[in-house]
Amino acid sequence: MKLTRRSLLLSAVAASGLRAEQPFGAVPSPRQIAWSKLEFCNFLHFTVNTFTDKEWGYGDEDPRVFNPTHFDADAIAEVLQQAGSKGVILTAKHHDGFCLWPTKTTDHSIRNSPYKNGKGDIVRELSEAAARRGLRFGIYVSPWDRHQASYGRPEYLTIYREQIRELLSSYGPLFEIWHDGANGGDGYYGGAREKRVIDKLHYYDWPGTWALERKLQPGACLFSDVGPDIRWVGNEKGIAGQTCWATYTPRSPNGGPGSPGDTIEAENNTGTRNGKYWMPAECDVSIRPGWFWHASENDKVKTPDELFDLYLKSVGRGASFLLNVPPDRRGLIHENDAASLREFGRRIRETFGRDLAPEAARSTVGNAIILDLPRETIVRYVRLREEIALGQRIGAFAIDRWNGGDWQEMGKGTSIGICRIVPIEAVKAKRVRLRILKTEAPPKIAEFALYA
Ligand code: FUL
């Protein structure tokens, strides 16, 4: 029962006095609305670490270690597509500073590797394969650089911004630019081999860096612990808060405004009710224990059941699911990961491919919407969406079924926003009711769908 085109307005249970069509609080930008529709995307962690068996390269790697023997961007994109992915974000540069594109900013790059005799460009190959498969493309470009001699000094910022400029100017439209929060510590730093601590709030001049990114890629969502478009969910397990607001006001544990690497993680996880910014959460998690490929983890790949559960705990809570799938030393997705991904994709299509109640009659009674199904049907999941362009309004709801004589509650929740999937103890139902229990403004439901 998709109400997207003809969204139902429930009678005013809101105390705000706001009219239904008036936006409430922080609202999404068009680029954020477009991003919300992607829901499930993949991360690809791939660099010298794949060959040195590390998670964080020190920055002193010989570029010649990077040598994927059978790198095949189309084969990778095909597996992701089969899993139902809508986009892929590549680690163009991780903390080791090794660049997967032939940058002019450093010698620590693919140009000095044996891959295609130094003529290769993994960023280009993957961006083109993604486009051929209808996947959006994004990049991860680590602010922390353990290779650069100038890291920690103002000169590094010029190099970093030049790297961003190269990446954002040459590889087509990007949907997301990812800046992680790991910032500073020990590293090679051009041979100094020391520990460098930076001022997380000021060193990178994030407002200036984001402004450059906006100018070069106006359609891309910018991700970090503090957005500005998409926020980190506060853990690397792939799990959004049971209550997860799309609105958020970043704060540092020391009471300051918050910056990448310096936020209250529990608040990243839940967002902030009526927060200052529209900044939905992204759940990044790896299909394996590590972010990079390690032979020792080939038998530790998450199962389709585990991935399905993570989907419910990310997408199903109004966040996005960014699942990392690390290419191996051949430059391919390992068979175990590919098998798990394909089966996960099949399960998602099977479960959410068909709304059970396309012809249900619907009526509204006070603060409730009732679906009358043509016949008794087993319901396993209820999916709800708010009309997010007007802001996040609903704060609590319940789902009931009519048992013949009475309404019986079968599920409930708090935030809805972009999406809320409510798992139900499989029951037969002919009438299903959504009751809005708390809302800040007249609720606008964009979707009330039932799945088996
Ligand atoms: C973190 C990094 O330190 C990890 O290596 C990984 O890239 C993860 C997605 O972000 O900040």
Side-chain angles (χ1 to χ4, degrees), residues 195-322:
K195 186 168 178 195
R196 294 188 182 170
V197 177
I198 53 120
D199 169 353
K200 291 179 181 169
L201 184 56
H202 299 108
Y203 177 56
Y204 300 102
D205 174 24
W206 282 114
T209 303
W210 292 331
L212 171 70
E213 295 177 336
R214 276 275 191 268
K215 196 174 116 218
L216 296 171
Q217 289 280 344
C221 277
L222 311 181
F223 169 100
S224 81
D225 294 355
V226 299
D229 297 313
I230 313 295
R231 73 173 195 268
W232 181 48
V233 77
N235 63 58
E236 293 184 338
K237 297 194 196 110
I239 302 178
Q242 188 51 270
T243 294
C244 185
W245 309 108
T247 48
Y248 177 54
T249 311
R251 293 196 302 159
S252 154
N254 68 23
S259 58
D262 186 37
T263 53
I264 301 169
E265 292 177 2
E267 293 183 1
N268 281 75
N269 196 243
T270 58
T272 318
R273 181 59 173 143
N274 301 331
K276 205 161 156 197
Y277 307 101
W278 184 272
M279 206 191 282
E282 178 155 87
C283 297
D284 60 317
V285 59
S286 186
I287 196 164
R288 290 160 169 250
W291 292 100
F292 288 91
W293 179 84
H294 307 286
S296 59
E297 294 181 352
N298 282 347
D299 58 354
K300 298 198 174 91
V301 173
K302 289 188 175 64
T303 63
D305 275 355
E306 289 173 307
L307 298 181
F308 190 83
D309 184 55
L310 288 178
Y311 177 89
L312 296 179
K313 289 175 174 156
S314 53
V315 174
R317 294 177 179 178
S320 75
F321 184 22
L322 181 64

Side-chain angles (χ1 to χ4, degrees), residues 391-403:
Q392 183 156 23
R393 303 174 172 215
I394 296 166
F397 66 90
I399 311 276
D400 313 314
R401 76 174 183 122
W402 181 251
N403 66 11

Side-chain angles (χ1 to χ4, degrees), residues 295-444:
S296 59
E297 294 181 352
N298 282 347
D299 58 354
K300 298 198 174 91
V301 173
K302 289 188 175 64
T303 63
D305 275 355
E306 289 173 307
L307 298 181
F308 190 83
D309 184 55
L310 288 178
Y311 177 89
L312 296 179
K313 289 175 174 156
S314 53
V315 174
R317 294 177 179 178
S320 75
F321 184 22
L322 181 64
L323 178 65
N324 178 61
V325 202
D328 61 17
R329 287 186 188 166
R330 294 169 304 173
L332 296 170
I333 304 296
H334 187 272
E335 291 68 13
N336 294 357
D337 308 52
S340 197
L341 277 170
R342 287 195 188 102
E343 174 55 18
F344 162 72
R346 198 195 58 75
R347 274 198 66 182
I348 293 288
R349 283 190 294 276
E350 179 187 79
T351 311
F352 297 107
R354 195 173 70 90
D355 182 357
L356 291 173
E359 311 113 44
R362 58 200 145 191
S363 47
T364 70
V365 181
N367 61 348
I369 300 176
I370 298 168
L371 300 182
D372 276 289
L373 308 179
R375 67 197 68 82
E376 273 216 321
T377 312
I378 290 196
V379 179
R380 186 69 189 78
Y381 299 99
V382 174
R383 192 170 70 193
L384 306 169
R385 297 182 195 275
E386 283 182 75
E387 207 60 84
I388 56 167
L390 296 172
Q392 183 156 23
R393 303 174 172 215
I394 296 166
F397 66 90
I399 311 276
D400 313 314
R401 76 174 183 122
W402 181 251
N403 66 11
D406 222 344
W407 285 107
Q408 187 188 358
E409 191 174 289
M410 54 180 191
K412 60 181 176 188
T414 50
S415 51
I416 300 177
I418 295 169
C419 178
R420 164 70 65 172
I421 300 172
V422 190
I424 306 280
E425 261 324 305
V427 285
K428 281 197 169 167
K430 198 167 175 309
R431 303 183 84 195
V432 179
R433 179 170 80 172
L434 164 66
R435 259 180 307 133
I436 305 302
L437 303 174
K438 261 193 219 160
T439 188
E440 299 276 339
K444 297 273 284 177

Side-chain angles (χ1 to χ4, degrees), residues 48-95:
V48 285
N49 297 345
T50 312
F51 301 88
T52 57
D53 214 12
K54 286 192 181 154
E55 277 291 308
W56 280 8
Y58 193 65
D60 62 348
E61 298 73 21
D62 184 334
R64 285 175 297 186
V65 301
F66 185 82
N67 191 18
T69 47
H70 295 85
F71 180 73
D72 185 342
D74 278 292
I76 293 176
E78 186 181 355
V79 173
L80 305 186
Q81 189 188 31
Q82 287 165 348
S85 179
K86 298 289 188 300
V88 52
I89 300 178
L90 171 70
T91 52
K93 183 185 87 165
H94 202 250
H95 310 329

